[in-house]
Each structure stands twice: as structure tokens, then as C-alpha cells.
Amino acid sequence: LVNHDIELLRKLNLFKSSDFLSGSFAPAIAKKIKLLNEAMEMLKTLQHPLKYMEHEGYMDELVDELERDKKRELRRDFKDGE
């Protein structure tokens, strides 16, 4: 990761926009969370990790959003199973 421009990261489509799944979306959301957490850990290993604080913050926001999505999906799964 050479570019320190946070706007470039914000413009990237990090995940496929069309996940075709049957059943719960929770496992797919969990994979996205895992990927983002691994990317944030990778940022800490770079030569100048402080240059990527905004990147980490942005990814952390995405993780929070995905965690909320996952909880909603799990609740939906539970309701559908009743």
C-alpha cells in the first residue's frame, strides 16, 4: 500500500456487489469483517503505520457497519426459523 490518499480507499469497491447466496448472509458478512480486520493488522506492519491512521479508521467504520448488518441478519434468521 503505497498511496496515503484516504479518498482512493473510499472509492474502491472492496467487496463484490453481487453475492449470490441462499440462506443466511451472516457467513458472508463475517468473511468481510475478517478481511477488513486482517487488512488493519497489515497496516500496522508497514514502515510508517501512522500515515495510514485514516485508512484504519475508515476500515474500522466499515467493520462496525458490517457488525450491525450481521446482527440484523442473525435476528432475521432467528425470526425466519420460528
Side-chain angles (χ1 to χ4, degrees), residues 1-6 9 12 14 34-63:
L1 191 64
V2 177
N3 194 321
H4 303 124
D5 184 11
I6 185 65
L9 179 62
L12 288 176
L14 296 175
K34 183 179 182 221
L35 174 72
L36 287 167
N37 284 326
E38 289 172 354
M40 287 189 288
E41 285 301 312
M42 185 271 313
L43 288 177
K44 294 175 186 175
T45 67
L46 296 175
Q47 189 173 8
H48 302 289
L50 294 178
K51 291 182 178 183
Y52 300 97
M53 284 179 56
E54 283 185 89
H55 295 71
E56 185 177 0
Y58 174 67
M59 286 188 260
D60 198 39
E61 289 173 22
L62 291 176
V63 167

Side-chain angles (χ1 to χ4, degrees), residues 2 11 22 32 43 57 61 69 72-76:
V2 177
K11 290 177 185 177
S22 61
K32 292 175 183 180
L43 288 177
E61 289 173 22
D69 291 346
R72 274 193 297 271
E73 181 65 20
L74 290 171
R75 276 191 297 254
R76 189 176 308 132

Side-chain angles (χ1 to χ4, degrees), residues 12-21 28 31-32 35:
L12 288 176
N13 184 6
L14 296 175
F15 306 109
K16 288 188 245 176
S17 60
S18 60
D19 286 328
F20 294 104
L21 298 172
K31 284 182 182 180
K32 292 175 183 180
L35 174 72

Side-chain angles (χ1 to χ4, degrees), residues 75-82:
R75 276 191 297 254
R76 189 176 308 132
D77 292 347
F78 181 74
K79 288 179 183 178
D80 289 346
E82 290 184 287

